[in-house]
């Protein structure tokens, strides 16, 4: 069963009084719980948050499912989100995603690679089109100005780094 | 004419991110000046400046502020930093380089509209800019610029940052309000408009990052000073996000009315050698595409682009050269709108899905005759009949791409491959 750390509980308590209405705290608390749960929002994350926040689980679930940044299935240590919209699409984002996935051992988006290190998602414009094609790993600052070669190198580097996430911080 | 660094004068200086650095260049002096003015006088000045919303719709800012009812209810100011319109990244640059400029603009605006609580709603992916803003907010709080009795002028204002979590629709002002209330980010039917009934059903003003930042120089230079740049109906300067097939993509500030081709050829260093301009999307993915011919006379202002049947939108310019297949480019746009439709309205939910499936079929070589006209018909039926403007925003690119580059769509359906690059586009080579 998922439980927030003591630090996490403190964080949630603080968020609950931060806004005019307490349900405004749901998004940030979901991020926190997702981070502590290895990168995804499992059903027990929702029931635990519901108990801690004293907000019906249906309401938390609704928020968790509406927004794309909450992962409803497990993800690898490095969740690689490749922008494939307009500019990134024109400048090779989709091809980049496919070759990185192949190198990482993921058959399709959403899969966790056998070594547990990678999951890929194709995402919509991340607001960095002047550095296309670009990606975001977990919720780290962007990795920009990529091409296939650099993308493959990045996968290899992350694999060598092994357990540590891109930033060393995990999700 | 050339690039004019009016808002972005100090953006290249790293110290401008910090309170001390910002103050060195006159930071927060306009807040002090504004706090000595009558709030109504500030609204009048903003009205006279001709400042129009930089988030996409281009609505006159001072006029919007004037819609607030005088009923003694608390008022809220929301800064729209959701910036998710494909092609747009100028708000990110502003928040990263000059977080205090935004905060100062917000505090002046909050004072003008008599609001004691302001939020910045930032998209969840912008963790970098969010961290910079949180630091700047903390600095400003510690210096007595946010909170009680600001600068001893008797004005109280709290300012906080709210994080989204990945949903384009939260950039639509009522969707943003739902999200801020802790709900799904679904838009609400207007009227009532947010100025009358917004966040927590209280009068609320929603403005874009760039709009609020522009209030600072308006206080400094006055309406007349601000109008030194731009045209009669498109006053001031604007930050444009330029991406795609140019040598130097990036964010450039130019006076409104600046020729589009100058921006492409001078500021952005033109196209790659041997390539020819095919088309430009001038105002974010929702703006109807312009042909190379139309670009020749296009100037970057609200009137000219409207006359050309397009719009200035968020100021996101996507340059497309002759190596691109327009069917393929449209396929990424249509995928986007289908993915982002919140599903409340049938024409939008069904229409975006239908259009995406047809275009997806065409790029995979399964198109059939008549689908070009079908696309036009579906798009036409999606306009003007939904809760929010996403449905229109999804229809406009389809209508313009298909009408202006009809031969590429028909060729693709007939030959089952693209007319460009010998047919070698993503959908055809990826499996
Ligand atoms: C689907 C949709 C998405 C939008 N996204 C944004 C956005 O990301 N940023 C923004 O400032 N305005 C966005 N808008 C416009 C807002 O609804 C609103 O008009 C704007 O924030 C008002 O600020 P302004 O008057 O300063 O432009 C969007 C509108 C629609 C219909
Ligand atoms: S038009 Fe589309 S996005 Fe807007 S409210 Fe209706 S279904 Fe949702
Ligand atoms: S299209 Fe990829 S960041 Fe905008």
């Amino acid at each position: 069963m998922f439980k927030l750390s003591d630090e996490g509980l403190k964080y949630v308590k603080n968020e609950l009084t931060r806004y005019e209405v307490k349900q405004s705290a749901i998004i940030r608390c979901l991020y926190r719980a997702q981070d502590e749960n290895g990168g995804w929002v499992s059903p027990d994350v929702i029931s635990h948050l519901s108990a801690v926040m004293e907000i019906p689980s249906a309401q938390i679930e609704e928020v968790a499912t509406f927004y794309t940044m909450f992962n409803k299935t497990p993800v690898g240590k490095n969740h690689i989100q490749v922008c494939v919209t307009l500019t990134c699409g024109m400048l090779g984002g989709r091809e980049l995603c496919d070759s990185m996935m192949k190198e990482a051992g993921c058959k399709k988006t959403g899969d966790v690679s056998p070594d547990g290190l990678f999951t890929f998602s194709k995402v919509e414009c991340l607001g960095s089109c002047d550095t296309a094609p670009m990606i975001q790993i977990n919720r780290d600052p962007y990795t920009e100005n990529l091409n296939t070669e650099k993308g493959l190198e990045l996968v290899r580097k992350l694999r060598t780094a092994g357990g540590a996430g891109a930033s060393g911080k995990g999700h | 004419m050339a690039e004019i660094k009016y808002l972005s004068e100090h953006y290249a200086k790293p110290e401008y991110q910090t309170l001390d650095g910002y103050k060195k260049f006159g930071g927060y002096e306009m807040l002090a000046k504004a706090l000595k003015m009558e709030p109504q006088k500030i609204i009048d000045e903003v009205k006279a400046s001709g400042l129009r919303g930089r988030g996409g719709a281009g609505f006159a800012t001072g006029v919007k502020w004037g819609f607030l009812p005088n009923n003694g209810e608390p008022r809220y100011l929301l800064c729209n930093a959701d910036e998710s319109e494909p092609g747009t990244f100028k708000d990110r640059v502003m928040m990263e380089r000059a977080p205090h400029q935004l905060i100062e603009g917000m505090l002046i605006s909050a004072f003008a509209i008599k609001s004691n609580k302001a939020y910045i709603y930032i998209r969840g992916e912008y963790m970098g800019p969010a961290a910079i803003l949180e630091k700047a907010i903390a600095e400003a709080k510690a210096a007595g610029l946010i909170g009680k009795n600001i600068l001893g002028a008797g004005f109280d204002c709290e300012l906080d940052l709210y994080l989204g979590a990945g949903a384009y629709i939260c950039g639509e002002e009522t969707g943003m309000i739902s999200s801020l209330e802790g709900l799904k980010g679904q838009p609400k039917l207007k009227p009532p408009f947010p100025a009358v009934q917004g966040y927590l059903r209280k009068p609320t003003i929603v403005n874009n990052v760039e709009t609020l930042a522009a209030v600072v120089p308006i206080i400094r230079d006055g309406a007349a000073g601000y109008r030194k740049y731009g045209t009669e109906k498109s006053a001031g300067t604007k930050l444009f996000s330029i991406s795609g097939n140019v040598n130097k993509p990036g964010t450039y500030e130019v006076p409104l009315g600046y020729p589009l081709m100058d921006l492409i050829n001078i500021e952005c260093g033109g196209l790659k050698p041997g390539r020819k301009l095919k088309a430009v999307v001038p105002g974010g993915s929702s703006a109807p595409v312009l042909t190379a011919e139309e670009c020749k006379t296009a100037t970057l202002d609200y009137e000219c682009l409207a006359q050309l049947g397009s719009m200035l939108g968020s100021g996101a310019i996507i340059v497309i050269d002759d190596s691109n297949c327009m069917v393929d480019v449209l396929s990424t746009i249509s995928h986007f709108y289908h993915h982002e439709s919140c599903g409340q309205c049938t024409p939008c939910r069904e229409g975006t899905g239908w259009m995406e499936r047809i275009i997806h079929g065409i790029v995979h070589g399964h198109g059939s005759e008549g689908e070009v006209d079908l696309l036009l018909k579906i798009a036409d039926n999606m306009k003007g009949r939904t809760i929010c403007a996403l449905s229109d925003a999804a229809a406009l690119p389809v209508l313009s791409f298909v009408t202006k580059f009809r031969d590429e769509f028909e060729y693709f359906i007939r030959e089952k491959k693209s007319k460009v690059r010998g047919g070698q586009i993503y959908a055809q080579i990826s499996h």
Side-chain angles (χ1 to χ4, degrees), chain B residues 169 187 341-345 348 386-388 390-391:
Chain B
I169 198 57
S341 167
C342 85
Q344 285 189 101
C345 322
C348 175
T386 50
I387 293 177
C388 89
L390 186 140
S391 191

Side-chain angles (χ1 to χ4, degrees), chain A residues 18 20 24 31 87 94 98 127, chain B residues 92 119 160 164 180 328 426:
Chain A
R18 177 170 174 177
E20 272 73 2
S24 297
Y31 278 132
T87 306
R94 297 167 294 179
D98 293 351
Chain B
R92 181 169 62 84
Y119 279 106
D160 203 355
L180 193 58
D328 185 40
Y426 176 73

Side-chain angles (χ1 to χ4, degrees), chain B residues 253-266:
Chain B
E253 181 176 9
V254 294
L256 288 169
Y258 194 72
L260 169 62
M261 290 312 297
D262 283 1
L263 186 55
I264 292 175
N265 289 323
I266 302 172

Side-chain angles (χ1 to χ4, degrees), chain B residues 80-311:
Chain B
N80 192 341
D82 192 56
E83 193 167 66
S84 309
E85 171 88 3
T88 319
F89 46 85
K90 47 105 190 165
D91 295 340
R92 181 169 62 84
V93 171
M94 299 189 83
M95 294 185 286
E96 284 174 350
R97 305 281 175 83
H100 285 287
Q101 185 185 46
L102 173 61
I103 295 170
E104 184 175 13
M106 287 182 70
L107 291 169
I108 296 171
S109 305
F111 176 70
I113 64 166
K114 300 185 178 156
S115 163
N116 305 113
K117 180 79 204 224
Y119 279 106
I120 302 171
Y121 184 105
I122 190 165
R123 64 180 296 184
E125 295 89 343
Y126 276 5
M127 290 305 289
I132 292 171
L133 278 171
E134 290 206 315
K135 191 161 159 257
I137 291 170
E139 278 181 318
K141 258 188 198 155
L145 294 160
I146 294 173
K148 294 251 177 285
N149 192 18
I150 295 171
L151 296 175
F155 170 60
D156 302 342
C157 189
E158 291 299 333
L159 193 153
D160 203 355
L161 186 73
Y162 190 85
L163 207 55
Y168 169 60
I169 198 57
C170 292
E172 197 280 336
E173 53 189 7
T174 59
M176 163 172 305
I177 287 168
S178 301
S179 178
L180 193 58
E181 289 167 345
L183 310 169
K184 293 190 281 188
Q186 285 184 326
K188 301 171 185 173
L189 206 56
K190 292 183 266 197
F193 286 91
V196 177
Q197 225 178 73
Y199 178 52
L200 304 176
R201 308 184 135 255
K202 299 288 182 266
T204 303
I205 291 295
V206 183
N207 275 128
N208 175 257
V209 171
E210 190 183 354
T211 313
L212 291 166
V215 172
V216 181
I218 291 174
I219 296 300
R220 185 187 63 205
D221 302 339
Y226 186 73
R227 281 186 172 278
K228 207 169 87 196
Y229 303 112
T231 69
E232 173 62 27
K233 287 190 177 135
S234 302
T237 61
K238 163 125 193 58
L239 274 77
F240 288 90
S241 319
I242 310 187
S243 66
N245 304 126
V246 287
N247 283 314
K248 290 188 285 176
T251 307
Y252 297 91
E253 181 176 9
V254 294
L256 288 169
Y258 194 72
L260 169 62
M261 290 312 297
D262 283 1
L263 186 55
I264 292 175
N265 289 323
I266 302 172
E267 273 73 30
C268 297
L271 277 62
K272 297 256 153 24
R275 299 272 183 86
K276 261 178 54 195
L277 184 68
K278 184 187 261 190
V280 172
V281 177
S285 62
S286 315
V289 66
L290 301 176
T291 62
E293 191 57 34
E294 289 169 324
C295 291
K296 284 185 188 160
T297 56
T299 53
L300 297 167
D301 49 77
Y302 298 98
E303 314 86 273
C304 177
L305 291 174
Q307 247 166 36
L308 288 168
S310 189
M311 56 193 188

Side-chain angles (χ1 to χ4, degrees), chain A residues 18-21 23-28 31 59 62-63 66-70 84-87 89-91 94-95 98 122 124-131 136 139-142 144, chain B residues 76 87-89 92 117 119 123-127 134 160-166 179-185 199-200 243-245 249-250 318-319 324 328-329 332 335-336 340 426:
Chain A
R18 177 170 174 177
Y19 311 97
E20 272 73 2
V21 285
Q23 63 262 31
S24 297
I26 297 175
I27 288 184
R28 287 218 194 218
Y31 278 132
Q59 209 174 329
E62 198 174 87
V63 172
F66 185 80
Y67 298 94
T68 53
M69 289 180 70
F70 300 121
V84 295
T85 322
L86 192 45
T87 306
M90 280 167 53
L91 299 182
R94 297 167 294 179
E95 292 84 347
D98 293 351
K122 291 184 176 173
E124 304 301 338
C125 181
L126 289 171
S128 191
C129 328
D130 55 340
T131 61
Q136 181 170 33
R139 290 200 291 140
D140 294 345
Y142 295 166
E144 306 172 309
Chain B
Y76 292 98
T88 319
F89 46 85
R92 181 169 62 84
K117 180 79 204 224
Y119 279 106
R123 64 180 296 184
E125 295 89 343
Y126 276 5
M127 290 305 289
E134 290 206 315
D160 203 355
L161 186 73
Y162 190 85
L163 207 55
S179 178
L180 193 58
E181 289 167 345
L183 310 169
K184 293 190 281 188
Y199 178 52
L200 304 176
S243 66
N245 304 126
I318 300 100
V319 180
N324 293 280
D328 185 40
V329 174
T332 70
H335 174 78
F336 171 80
E340 301 299 333
Y426 176 73

